[in-house]
Amino acid sequence: EVQLVESGGGLVQPGSPLKLSCAASGFTFSSNWLNWIRQAPGKGLEWVASINPDGSSTYYPDTVKGRFVVSKDNAKNTGYLQMNNLRSEDTAMYYCARSRWFAYWGQGTLVTVSS
Amino acid sequence: DIQMTQSPASLSASPEEIVTITCQASQDIGNWLAWYQQKPGKSPQLLIYSATSLADGIPSRFSGSRSGTQYSLKISRLQVEDTGIYYCLQRYSNPLTFGSGTKLEIK
């Protein structure tokens, strides 16, 4: 059974860092793109980051470029999203999703940025 | 950036009816379009990819089509469990962009 389990969310102050994890099982993690998508409370979906299967290429929208870093450890079947200099507008549920079509999503982890 | 204009914002329909949701791309994106369903309190689920291909395990009541830069999701024989918010996604070019969502209520 395919599973993606996010963790690491929580309440942080503006300007703080936070690192999210995405533990994968049930598929060949090393052969899949890993993506992060977020959803602010009551709002729509926003793509945040993507990384190719071997981790050699990463992609971000301008809203997080320079602050967020996506990575994956294929030996540990785990992906990561390092978020730096967090802002209130980064408050959202963060989902990881596999493949270029976001074919399967985790249950999400909530990040709240507030003083 | 490519804009995806999704309509309607909401709709209400009865069981067994047919509904159609559309996304208009601001430029040519070929078949690089997907549709997702998000049920209340749940994560999104892939329904359609490559504009017309049905994702694994998705009922054939769901179908996707394309006419130029307009993309449609048709749901036939509506069921109560189809309640949720539907989003389109273009992955033709970065930044990947979603439509604003269509909230579907089953009467």
Side-chain angles (χ1 to χ4, degrees):
Chain A
E1 178 193 6
V2 172
Q3 274 204 318
L4 290 169
V5 179
E6 301 93 337
S7 61
L11 172 64
V12 296
Q13 292 191 334
S16 299
L18 193 65
K19 188 172 185 177
L20 307 182
S21 298
C22 172
S25 60
F27 65 98
T28 306
F29 185 71
S30 59
S31 299
N32 276 261
W33 284 71
L34 183 70
N35 313 275
W36 290 90
I37 302 100
R38 68 185 179 184
Q39 187 170 36
K43 302 298 184 182
L45 301 170
E46 180 187 12
W47 168 69
V48 171
S50 294
I51 186 168
N52 69 342
D54 68 6
S56 61
S57 297
T58 57
Y59 306 87
Y60 311 91
D62 286 345
T63 50
V64 306
K65 192 177 294 183
R67 298 190 300 125
F68 289 14
V69 178
V70 59
S71 61
K72 65 194 308 254
D73 186 334
N74 286 335
K76 294 183 177 179
N77 286 348
T78 302
Y80 304 97
L81 185 67
Q82 175 68 49
M83 304 185 293
N84 299 317
N85 190 21
L86 282 163
R87 307 167 180 168
S88 58
E89 55 264 37
D90 296 319
T91 293
M93 183 72 77
Y94 283 74
Y95 299 99
C96 62
R98 67 169 271 204
S99 90
R100 302 201 74 176
W101 285 114
F102 305 171
Y104 189 84
W105 301 52
Q107 85 290 346
T109 187
L110 182 62
V111 173
T112 303
V113 184
S114 175
S115 55
Chain B
D1 297 3
I2 296 174
Q3 309 302 318
M4 302 301 297
T5 303
Q6 188 170 342
S7 62
S10 64
L11 73 158
S12 180
S14 300
E16 299 300 316
E17 286 189 354
I18 299 172
V19 298
T20 300
I21 298 167
T22 63
C23 269
Q24 178 71 49
S26 60
Q27 66 182 73
D28 179 30
I29 60 169
N31 286 331
W32 298 103
L33 183 109
W35 290 97
Y36 301 85
Q37 174 196 61
Q38 186 174 30
K39 295 185 179 181
K42 300 293 186 181
S43 308
Q45 179 181 26
L46 177 66
L47 300 174
I48 301 287
Y49 64 97
S50 297
T52 61
S53 297
L54 195 64
D56 290 346
I58 301 302
S60 57
R61 302 185 294 104
F62 293 86
S63 63
S65 63
R66 171 194 173 190
S67 176
T69 56
Q70 181 166 289
Y71 301 80
S72 298
L73 173 69
K74 186 170 86 170
I75 312 173
S76 304
R77 302 187 305 280
L78 273 175
Q79 300 184 7
V80 173
E81 59 263 33
D82 296 334
T83 293
I85 303 176
Y86 292 79
Y87 296 93
C88 64
L89 166 77
Q90 70 79 20
R91 54 157 294 232
Y92 176 79
S93 69
N94 291 329
L96 309 184
T97 46
F98 289 90
S100 54
T102 295
K103 186 173 184 179
L104 173 61
E105 174 197 60
I106 310 301
K107 297 175 191 173

